[in-house]
Amino acid sequence: MIKDKIIDGAHNAPHRSLYNALGLTKEELSRPVIGIVSSYNEIVPGHMNLDKITEAVRLGVAMAGGTPIVFPAIAVCDGIAMGHVGMKYSLVTRDLIADSTEAMVMAHGFDGLVMIPNCDKNVPGLLMAAARLNIPTIFVSGGPMLAGRVGGKKTSLSSMFEAVGAYKAGKIDEEKLTEYECKACPSCGSCSGMYTANSMNCLTEVLGMGLRGNGTIPAAYSARIQLAKQAGMQIMELVRRDIRPLDIMTEAAIRNAITADMALGCSTNSMLHLPAIANECGVAFDLDMVNEISEKTPNLCHLAPAGPTYMEDLNEAGGVYAVLREIDKLGLLDTTVMTCTGNTLGENIADARNLDESVIRTVDNPYSKTGGIAVLRGNLAPDGCVVKRSAVAPEMLVHEGPAKVYESEEEAIEAIYAGRIEKGDVVVIRYEGPAGGPGMREMLSPTSAIAGMGLDKDVALITDGRFSGATRGASIGHVSPEAVSGGPIAYVKDGDIISINIPEYSIELKISDEELASRRAEMPIKKKENIKGYLKRYASMVSSADKGAIINR
């Protein structure tokens, strides 16, 4: 315990003097000291309620006989950062969060940790830190936002971005756009569809690091406060039993997470974060494993942007545990794995029930017999690329068309809004990868513009960057190797025919090997100039997307 290393004994008197400066009593220092990592801030809607979650966790820890001590983690709002230079600073925070949490814990010592994230990079960043530190840890997030309502229909942030495209195309007027603006995001919480934040929060339950309901109980519900108190109490049990993250996040647990990802229809960003988490756990992660699991796992949920249901609906239908119980009927899960409840996954889901088959389909009536994500390979992406096939219109699962090539997201958006994209086109956005961006920006603005203009069933997008969990349509990201590393995407020209076959997991640039070699010789790689600060350091150290865009240590 911390008191054995830092508190007890004459040689630790200087440390005790500083604990006295904090106002801590001898009684408090005699108990297990629990670090509470709070991502609270006043700029991210998913984090504005984390002060209340943090206080509830503090109460839970104290009620169970521990001493809670809070310290912060940063957070970026992907929605606010979207479409400008700010998005370069989104993915990169995942490693800042992991590294800074590691630094705080190693410098001060704690007997256990409660992680309080909510949005896109905080959840995986803190899961990475938990694995790296490997002291008893539990997660409790801030919870999802309630769905908005426009014209009597539920809506969300993705609808808001698509409304901009509809407005630019003259399909709605300024008054309607303003109505979306005022109603799409009605409460605190992580945006209300199965976007990246909610995907990762759901996967904390599957990985065994969060209690039941952590992924789905809405942020505005009092049940979220109760969950936080329960997490605060449960960390004391984990400390007592010395159950650690690496006892929980095993290879079997990672495979369970991929399986649940396929059933839920999670964000493609999970294919960046799960490899990064697995790396910290010492578990090998091969993208080919994704297709292997997908082939066996039916897609049971079509939450926004794939369909008309939202996180609040999944919660009412029985939540993540109900989905797990459903797919366990096919024997797809390892239910013997340990979890933060102190019980196995099988024990956790034994009483789960599917309460609404319109939200969680049964394994006998899935949306598709294969999972929500597919990894494609071919001469355009030798190391793979990723698509959320559950959000692709059936007519776009197989597509062939001419490339229209853009060197940045800004160039692509300008072309889309100017009406230069036609039915059948394949929009290629390059030099937006982890190193080339740098920062691997999400492309929600161009995908939403195309969807809002009604072209999502006719146009594909391909990038070495990534797509938001709010993206729908034939949006294929994480193309590896990326352009700045000399990947084939760097040598695509306007008019080249690109063939996409999602059911066959293939993506091909229809030129000969000789032509590709000729282009490699004549077309220079374009590297961005004047990159400074953290982005420069990140670009020099980051791996390719197929490895999870991890920092090479």
Side-chain angles (χ1 to χ4, degrees), residues 79 207 217 257 314 335 345 372 411 416 459 464 522 535 548:
L207 286 168
I217 296 172
L314 179 59
T335 57
L345 182 66
E411 282 189 18
I416 294 166
V459 172
D464 54 4
E522 68 184 36
L535 287 182

Side-chain angles (χ1 to χ4, degrees), residues 195-229:
Y195 310 152
T196 306
N198 292 325
S199 296
M200 296 310 301
N201 280 321
C202 286
L203 294 183
T204 62
E205 293 189 50
V206 187
L207 286 168
M209 295 297 291
L211 296 176
R212 182 177 192 162
N214 187 52
T216 60
I217 296 172
Y221 284 13
S222 296
R224 178 61 60 174
I225 300 294
Q226 294 171 324
L227 183 72
K229 292 176 184 176

Side-chain angles (χ1 to χ4, degrees), residues 318-336:
V320 174
Y321 278 19
V323 176
L324 295 180
R325 182 70 185 276
E326 195 66 48
I327 56 178
D328 190 44
K329 293 175 182 177
L330 299 176
L332 298 176
L333 299 172
D334 184 335
T335 57
T336 67

Side-chain angles (χ1 to χ4, degrees), residues 461-493:
L461 291 95
I462 298 173
T463 182
D464 54 4
R466 60 197 178 95
F467 292 111
S468 167
T471 290
R472 63 185 174 95
S475 302
I476 300 166
H478 309 191
V479 170
S480 300
E482 61 176 296
V484 80
S485 298
I489 193 173
Y491 307 108
V492 181
K493 292 184 177 182

Side-chain angles (χ1 to χ4, degrees), residues 138 208-212 234 237-238 241 243 248 321 338-345 347-348:
I138 195 169
M209 295 297 291
L211 296 176
R212 182 177 192 162
Q234 184 60 23
E237 178 68 7
L238 295 177
R241 293 177 57 180
I243 298 174
I248 295 171
Y321 278 19
M338 177 53 65
T339 72
C340 68
T341 66
N343 299 320
T344 66
L345 182 66
E347 291 169 327
N348 287 347

Side-chain angles (χ1 to χ4, degrees), residues 408-541:
S408 69
E409 178 184 14
E410 286 84 357
E411 282 189 18
I413 292 173
E414 181 185 0
I416 294 166
Y417 286 152
R420 294 198 292 271
I421 305 302
E422 301 172 352
K423 289 185 177 183
D425 284 346
V426 178
V427 176
V428 177
I429 308 174
R430 63 191 178 196
Y431 293 104
E432 291 284 6
M440 202 179 183
R441 287 193 287 183
E442 286 184 343
M443 305 288 170
L444 181 57
S445 293
T447 60
S448 297
I450 283 175
M453 291 176 171
L455 293 172
D456 56 297
K457 296 180 180 179
D458 301 289
V459 172
L461 291 95
I462 298 173
T463 182
D464 54 4
R466 60 197 178 95
F467 292 111
S468 167
T471 290
R472 63 185 174 95
S475 302
I476 300 166
H478 309 191
V479 170
S480 300
E482 61 176 296
V484 80
S485 298
I489 193 173
Y491 307 108
V492 181
K493 292 184 177 182
D494 282 340
D496 285 347
I497 300 300
I498 295 175
S499 176
I500 300 161
N501 191 321
I502 295 173
E504 297 294 327
Y505 305 114
S506 72
I507 184 165
E508 295 289 334
L509 176 64
K510 295 290 191 175
I511 62 172
S512 67
D513 292 344
E514 292 76 16
E515 173 63 17
L516 182 57
S518 174
R519 292 184 188 183
R520 286 184 189 277
E522 68 184 36
M523 294 174 65
I525 295 296
K526 300 175 182 178
K527 294 189 177 181
K528 292 183 174 67
E529 304 295 334
N530 301 317
I531 302 297
K532 300 178 181 179
Y534 179 56
L535 287 182
K536 182 176 182 179
R537 193 163 9 115
Y538 181 88
S540 71
M541 299 172 68

Side-chain angles (χ1 to χ4, degrees), residues 277-297:
I277 295 162
N279 176 68
E280 296 288 352
C281 295
V283 173
F285 192 108
D286 186 333
L287 278 181
D288 289 332
M289 177 171 59
V290 174
N291 287 345
E292 171 218 325
I293 292 174
S294 180
E295 279 294 318
K296 299 181 291 187
T297 308

